[in-house]
Amino acid sequence: MARMPVQFRLNGTDRAVFVEPVETLLGTIRRGLGDFAPKFGCGQGTCGACTVLVDGEPRLGCLTLSVTCEGRSIETASGLADGPTLHPLQAAFMEHFAAQCGFCTPGMLMAAKALLDRNPDPTRVEVVEAIAGNICRCTGYEPIINAILAAAQQRGARRA
Amino acid sequence: MLEFRKDLFADERDDNLNVIGKGEQRQDMLGHVTGRTRFFDDHGFDGLLHLKVVRSPHHHARIRSIDVSAAERAPGVKRVIRAQDVPVNKNTLLSLIGFGKDDEPTLAVDKVRYKGEPIVAIIAASDAEAMAAVKLVRVSYDPLPTVFDVQEALKPGAVVVNETYPGNYFEYHDKYDHQKLRFGDVEAAFRTADHVLEERYQMSPIEHASTETNGTIAAPETNNRYVVHSCAQGLFFSLGTTAKILALESNRLHFIGGTVGGGFGGKVDSLTEPLAVLGAILTGQPVRYVLGREEEMQFGSPRGAERHVIKDGVMRDGRIVARQITSYFDAGAYTRLSSYGVVKCVAHMPGPYTIPNVRGDAYCVFTNRVPATAMRGFGVTGLDFSIEVQMDKLAHLVGIDPMEFRILNAYRDGDMKAHRRVAHNTALIECVQVAAQKVNWPLSETARRASSLSGGGGPRAAIPPTVTDESGRIGRPETRQAPPQLTPGAAPLPAYQPAPAVPVQQPAAPLPNYPSQPAAAAPLPAPTPPVQTPPPTPQHGAARFSSVFTRRR
């Protein structure tokens, strides 16, 4: 089948790429555009390691076809920091020991960012729900939940 | 949360530690949160090819024929790798340290021994093309009878799983069918025990399920070398294994790794490195071989299933006087690391308890299940589960609180272990005391005042006369002289011949039946306070818990 052109914005930069009609967004971002932050864990939408934001909404890169992203804005963990300045979530993940092997971290951060962008002051239960689709085999989740709550608190303090 | 209990063993420890007990940032954390950490698959290569594997749909079958002609002609296919393309197509992981015989092919030759065993590798321009070509390979099989149960596999006449080990057991020191531990005389102690309890414990295999699946990218480098991006937990182990299988000088392999997306023991087997490098050699291009999640779950080695049969003799006052453990490790079709797990298991018998009569036998058994491997404490955790459930049952049987029952039987410093080493740095009593305190579990005064530092040694340090056979050896007179040899085409030989009854030489000394208990370990509840021994002379540094920097005591 013929390859198709797709244009979208990746972490603020306009990108154009030719894709197979069946190519996943995860494959295009990683092998097509060289941003290796989102990971392949299962290819079945169960582990969340491939989570990216499409127009601000969390999406599973392994189940999203690239051709459906024409004209969208895609965000990955590579674009979270503002130059050398870490996003509050990144700083909180560091401070709260919210990563061990680090493989789930890029997906976890994007799920958390989607939550805080629409709900700056989430409850613990809302945090747990927001990352319910992201599997971490190392930490036992507690440090991750604490980090997301701490990041929300810090952003709230900055606004106040 | 980490808690540093400085009230325990305070006189034996320096508190001038710089890192332990304090928070310390991981050096790799910044890479993790910025998405810059590079795992094996996070490397781009021009002309990257993809490798997929044809796997056995049978648990056990003879391969009659393999037809790859359609696959070779399929779109995008660059190369088909057969068993005869693998330079050294038989290996066992621990051969690098001289432990065990080569027993596992990289690609199956004449037989498949578990469902999912690799047979043919296909390298194509894309994942999808490789997967499509895999479906075009025609393999004709003669299914063979199977064996899935460890004890069935050891019976005479059982199906032979792996011809390298025709008895279906790993051969320790090239002749022994199991690992053995003997201390005292369990049979005599069972006869005089107030209660004897025998229970069987069975685990399932456990998949590590790390979020990153096993995989490798290998690519031609300069100077006739190959760069290998690997997820291996033991990078140099994987390098050595790959060099051996491919008959390459190891300095032609440039392994890059150490960044592992979750391992837990599931990335020690070098499942993908040899084929990926072979693919790069044969195609001259970068080759990526990554297990899918289904492959990882079904065919990546799990923690093996263990079966432990524990028989204990216990007195009414709570003292365990005899423990017999028979353990069966399901290695699956090939050894991988199971032989080592069995050694660890026997080293852990009979658990952290001072028991004067111990008998242990552990078998590493081959079945037609997926080969098992390492996983976090393998060989020990399954046995510990079994022992601790058994301890609860024993406590219930004699009507003693389970926490107090453990304190009563725990190792204390100076006690003789069944392995004939004196116990040092013991801390089970203190662990139980802290655990009880945390959950407000009431302990008697005697149990609260018990200490690992006192009450041990003395008669508890004695090595009891141990039952031996006529030739002065423990256990059976001849543990199987030589394993049965298989000749090609011959019917499987009887795999397991029970040894004749062992003439037991009665020890001359009186039976070691816990002669004199120190007061501290007296039956509970006992009004006698424990003997207060002065604490040992403080040693420099964290000597008590360091077996690395101090001489073996």
Side-chain angles (χ1 to χ4, degrees):
Chain A
M1 216 177 282
R3 285 155 73 84
M4 303 165 69
V6 176
Q7 289 187 61
F8 51 71
R9 183 164 289 196
L10 178 63
N11 294 323
T13 305
D14 286 330
R15 306 296 294 264
V17 61
F18 284 95
V19 301
E20 301 284 341
V22 295
E23 195 170 311
T24 64
L25 180 59
L26 179 67
T28 301
I29 292 175
R30 285 175 56 82
R31 294 264 159 227
L33 297 170
D35 177 358
F36 289 105
K39 306 296 181 213
F40 174 93
C42 67
Q44 302 167 355
T46 55
C47 77
C50 62
T51 303
V52 297
L53 303 190
V54 177
D55 288 344
E57 289 294 317
R59 288 278 178 270
L60 294 165
C62 76
L63 295 185
T64 304
L65 293 179
S66 300
V67 290
T68 66
C69 296
E70 176 70 35
R72 309 289 184 120
S73 172
I74 317 282
E75 294 169 70
T76 73
S78 304
L80 260 187
D82 179 10
T85 309
L86 294 181
H87 187 277
L89 273 166
Q90 293 173 309
F93 267 55
M94 287 191 76
E95 189 179 335
H96 291 266
F97 200 66
Q100 280 181 37
C101 83
F103 198 79
C104 73
T105 310
M108 203 64 89
L109 283 166
M110 298 322 284
K113 178 171 191 293
L115 169 71
L116 297 193
D117 285 352
R118 70 166 186 273
N119 179 2
D121 186 25
T123 64
R124 191 175 183 83
V125 169
E126 286 167 337
V127 170
V128 170
E129 278 174 9
I131 61 166
N134 294 67
I135 289 175
C136 171
R137 292 284 289 154
C138 303
T139 62
Y141 301 102
E142 275 306 297
I144 298 173
I145 297 164
N146 293 337
I148 297 170
L149 286 169
Q153 215 167 21
Q154 200 207 334
R155 287 220 291 195
R158 201 184 300 158
R159 273 193 307 273
Chain B
M1 201 44 82
L2 181 70
E3 186 184 341
F4 215 34
R5 288 298 295 254
K6 299 198 168 191
D7 51 323
L8 298 170
F9 311 116
D11 54 339
E12 296 190 30
R13 186 185 59 244
D14 281 346
D15 279 334
N16 58 354
L17 304 174
N18 294 323
V19 173
I20 293 175
K22 298 169 186 146
E24 184 83 355
Q25 187 54 266
R26 299 174 58 107
Q27 60 168 9
D28 54 359
M29 197 58 124
L30 186 60
H32 289 350
V33 301
T34 52
R36 281 201 285 265
T37 299
R38 286 283 175 264
F39 296 88
F40 82 88
D41 198 23
D42 300 339
H43 298 271
F45 288 93
D46 282 338
L48 183 65
L49 303 178
H50 301 263
L51 187 151
K52 293 283 170 190
V53 161
V54 178
R55 297 183 180 278
S56 163
H58 297 286
H59 297 288
H60 197 192
R62 198 159 294 288
I63 297 174
R64 230 181 320 151
S65 64
I66 301 173
D67 178 4
V68 298
S69 51
E72 278 172 332
R73 290 191 305 268
V77 171
K78 303 285 182 190
R79 173 80 199 207
V80 174
I81 303 179
R82 305 277 302 267
Q84 57 265 32
D85 300 319
V86 182
V88 180
N89 194 23
K90 212 176 187 193
N91 180 51
T92 193
L93 283 170
L94 294 178
S95 64
L96 294 182
I97 55 169
F99 188 51
K101 302 184 223 178
D102 289 341
D103 70 339
E104 181 170 7
T106 298
L107 293 173
V109 180
D110 53 348
K111 221 177 109 166
V112 285
R113 298 174 177 86
Y114 70 96
K115 188 176 170 186
E117 181 158 1
I119 303 168
V120 171
I122 309 271
I123 300 173
S126 72
D127 247 0
E129 286 165 325
M131 274 191 272
V134 160
K135 297 202 176 90
L136 298 176
V137 174
R138 294 279 166 264
V139 185
S140 163
Y141 302 93
D142 286 326
L144 294 168
T146 51
V147 59
F148 298 113
D149 181 272
V150 282
Q151 282 172 279
E152 291 298 317
L154 290 178
K155 284 183 178 165
V159 171
V160 175
V161 174
N162 185 337
E163 288 70 11
T164 305
Y165 294 108
N168 286 342
Y169 51 81
F170 180 83
E171 292 157 17
Y172 287 93
H173 308 285
D174 291 330
K175 57 180 174 177
Y176 300 116
D177 63 345
H178 69 291
Q179 289 273 300
K180 190 193 296 286
L181 175 65
R182 294 291 185 275
F183 188 69
D185 185 346
V186 287
E187 290 303 331
F190 285 145
R191 283 195 293 274
T192 55
D194 290 330
H195 303 279
V196 173
L197 179 70
E198 181 169 355
E199 297 282 324
R200 190 185 107 146
Y201 302 91
Q202 174 72 50
M203 286 168 53
S204 299
I206 300 172
E207 163 60 31
H208 314 77
S210 45
T211 320
E212 173 198 67
T213 57
N214 269 281
T216 302
I217 298 179
E221 218 185 20
T222 54
N223 303 332
N224 208 17
R225 279 159 43 110
Y226 294 89
V227 64
V228 186
H229 293 285
S230 162
C231 71
Q233 283 181 257
L235 199 66
F236 287 92
F237 223 100
S238 191
L239 189 154
T241 298
T242 306
K244 176 183 167 186
I245 290 174
L246 301 183
L248 285 178
E249 294 295 321
S250 58
N251 64 8
R252 289 187 58 198
L253 297 172
H254 174 194
F255 267 60
I256 297 175
T259 305
V260 181
F264 320 116
K267 288 175 179 163
V268 296
D269 291 327
S270 299
L271 291 178
T272 54
E273 286 82 355
L275 274 182
V277 177
L278 182 58
I281 291 172
L282 295 176
T283 62
Q285 280 180 258
V287 170
R288 172 178 177 266
Y289 175 20
V290 183
L291 298 189
R293 179 57 58 185
E294 187 181 345
E295 286 177 301
E296 184 78 35
M297 296 295 285
Q298 289 202 329
F299 316 130
S301 330
R303 178 201 291 274
E306 300 171 20
R307 178 175 303 165
H308 301 287
V309 182
I310 304 180
K311 183 179 179 183
D312 285 333
V314 63
M315 306 307 283
R316 267 186 288 272
D317 61 17
R319 286 173 294 129
I320 304 170
V321 293
R323 171 162 287 170
Q324 173 179 303
I325 305 179
T326 311
S327 300
Y328 304 92
F329 278 65
D330 191 341
Y334 299 105
T335 308
R336 296 197 185 164
L337 290 184
S338 295
S339 53
Y340 170 56
V342 167
V343 173
K344 287 169 62 183
C345 173
V346 178
H348 191 61
M349 292 178 183
Y353 304 105
T354 295
I355 300 173
N357 301 285
V358 176
R359 177 190 172 113
D361 296 283
Y363 298 80
C364 174
V365 187
F366 298 103
T367 67
N368 291 113
R369 296 171 73 165
V370 174
T373 194
M375 183 175 184
R376 312 197 73 165
F378 71 126
V380 173
T381 32
L383 177 65
D384 257 341
F385 159 77
S386 309
I387 286 175
E388 295 308 321
V389 176
Q390 179 86 354
M391 291 297 283
D392 283 343
K393 289 179 179 173
L394 290 172
H396 182 74
L397 183 66
V398 295
I400 294 179
D401 176 276
M403 296 282 227
E404 306 232 350
F405 183 70
R406 286 174 170 84
I407 289 176
L408 171 65
N409 286 288
Y411 276 151
R412 292 161 189 250
D413 277 9
D415 287 358
M416 181 58 64
K417 301 190 204 180
H419 310 86
R420 293 161 179 76
R421 283 191 189 279
V422 176
H424 279 295
N425 309 335
T426 59
L428 176 61
I429 290 173
E430 286 72 18
C431 284
V432 175
Q433 287 166 339
V434 171
Q437 188 190 7
K438 293 270 179 205
V439 295
N440 297 317
W441 188 277
L443 288 182
S444 70
E445 179 65 16
T446 314
R448 272 204 307 277
R449 295 182 64 171
S451 165
S452 293
L453 297 172
S454 61
R460 294 162 61 110
I463 297 178
T466 297
V467 179
T468 52
D469 60 38
E470 289 153 322
S471 50
R473 300 163 75 181
I474 59 173
R476 295 194 297 243
E478 295 296 337
T479 316
R480 203 179 323 283
Q481 290 152 333
Q485 294 299 315
L486 277 192
T487 46
L493 292 173
Y496 189 82
Q497 290 153 353
V502 182
V504 172
Q505 176 195 310
Q506 288 299 331
L511 286 176
N513 215 340
Y514 247 51
S516 52
Q517 279 285 313
L524 294 174
T528 333
V531 176
Q532 294 300 322
T533 47
T537 321
Q539 301 186 10
H540 178 71
R544 177 177 176 81
F545 295 106
S546 167
S547 55
V548 178
F549 299 111
T550 58
R551 70 195 157 82
R552 191 145 207 163
R553 292 169 297 158

